[in-house]
Amino acid sequence: MPGDDTGRTDRLERLRAAIEAVQSGGGEPLVDELAEERLAPLTAKANRLIEQRDRSVAELRRRLTDSLDEGDDPALVDAVIDRCLRAGMLDDARFAHEWVRQRAANQRRSVAVLRRELREKGVAAPVIEEALEQISEGDQDRVLGELVTKKAGTVKTVPADRRDYDRALRRIVGVAARRGFPQGRSLTAARQALDARIAELGGAR
């Protein structure tokens, strides 16, 4: 996708800038000479992780901290994070915006799920809410409609009775619920989709 290519190019540019900053020392030393040997692999790991995709500050900090050996100074992680921030490689607002845009479009996630995912990534609440503003109620209705319509399409025969109907309805509602859509909203959309599918099959409600 063009947007993904642009994002990758931007990340590579930020990586090159960060590498130059590390190699030049960036003016004031962030760590003493004895720490530089351990700092180098941490910096390399940060570069690899960010090259794969944008990361939140908390996410990158967690990954780097997990890679420390026993006895390593946690300040090494702080130094790498600081360098990444100054080089523009880390930006929680940018990260959250892209996370919402891509997950909503490609994974068809609900706002509730996206909010939870960003919280788990350690993004601050105000930043999350700002990123979620790009999704409208209409967008959510469209995604929900697509989900339940696709699932309703798997119904091959008209339900024989109320029990069969309710069983099919629960399966359709379950698809929406697993994507984080509210139960009441999911039930309404699922019922409409199932009734439309029954009509297609030549039945009636």
Side-chain angles (χ1 to χ4, degrees):
M1 294 175 59
D4 293 340
D5 292 341
T6 300
R8 182 176 178 82
T9 299
D10 290 343
R11 288 196 296 274
L12 290 175
E13 289 177 355
R14 294 196 300 272
L15 284 169
R16 282 194 289 269
I19 291 171
E20 291 175 2
V22 171
Q23 291 174 341
S24 67
E28 297 182 5
L30 294 176
V31 293
D32 59 39
E33 293 182 0
L34 294 177
E36 282 293 343
E37 183 177 352
R38 184 53 185 156
L39 185 63
L42 282 176
T43 301
K45 181 169 185 175
N47 291 342
R48 288 194 301 271
L49 289 170
I50 296 173
E51 185 177 14
Q52 293 169 4
R53 66 164 174 79
D54 265 338
R55 308 276 172 170
S56 69
V57 173
E59 180 185 12
L60 184 62
R61 186 183 301 278
R62 182 167 56 249
R63 294 290 297 271
L64 295 181
T65 299
D66 288 345
S67 70
L68 290 176
D69 291 332
E70 185 176 355
D72 282 341
D73 187 351
L76 295 174
V77 173
D78 294 335
V80 173
I81 293 293
D82 184 64
R83 288 183 178 184
C84 290
L85 285 167
R86 289 190 293 111
M89 296 167 62
L90 289 176
D91 184 322
D92 274 2
R94 181 185 65 229
F95 165 77
H97 186 277
E98 284 304 297
W99 183 272
V100 168
R101 184 184 67 81
Q102 294 183 22
R103 300 282 282 184
N106 301 331
Q107 303 294 326
R108 297 188 291 185
R109 303 292 189 184
S110 69
V111 164
V113 168
L114 292 169
R115 182 181 287 111
R116 185 185 72 237
E117 289 176 341
L118 287 172
R119 283 174 179 167
E120 292 171 352
K121 296 295 182 183
V123 179
V127 177
I128 293 174
E129 296 309 313
E130 182 176 354
L132 290 174
E133 288 178 359
Q134 62 189 298
I135 300 179
S136 67
E137 285 296 316
D139 293 332
Q140 289 285 273
D141 287 339
R142 177 182 54 78
V143 170
L144 177 57
E146 291 172 355
L147 287 171
V148 296
T149 298
K150 181 177 180 180
K151 186 61 177 179
T154 64
V155 176
K156 301 303 182 184
T157 60
V158 176
D161 52 28
R162 184 69 191 190
R163 178 178 296 180
D164 283 348
Y165 179 88
D166 288 345
R167 185 180 300 116
L169 184 63
R170 284 194 298 272
R171 288 197 293 268
I172 298 170
V173 171
V175 169
R178 286 191 292 275
R179 298 298 179 96
F181 289 95
Q183 183 175 4
R185 190 174 181 180
S186 299
L187 180 59
T188 299
R191 193 184 303 278
Q192 292 172 347
L194 179 56
D195 290 348
R197 177 56 177 166
I198 291 171
E200 289 178 359
L201 294 171
R205 286 292 302 166

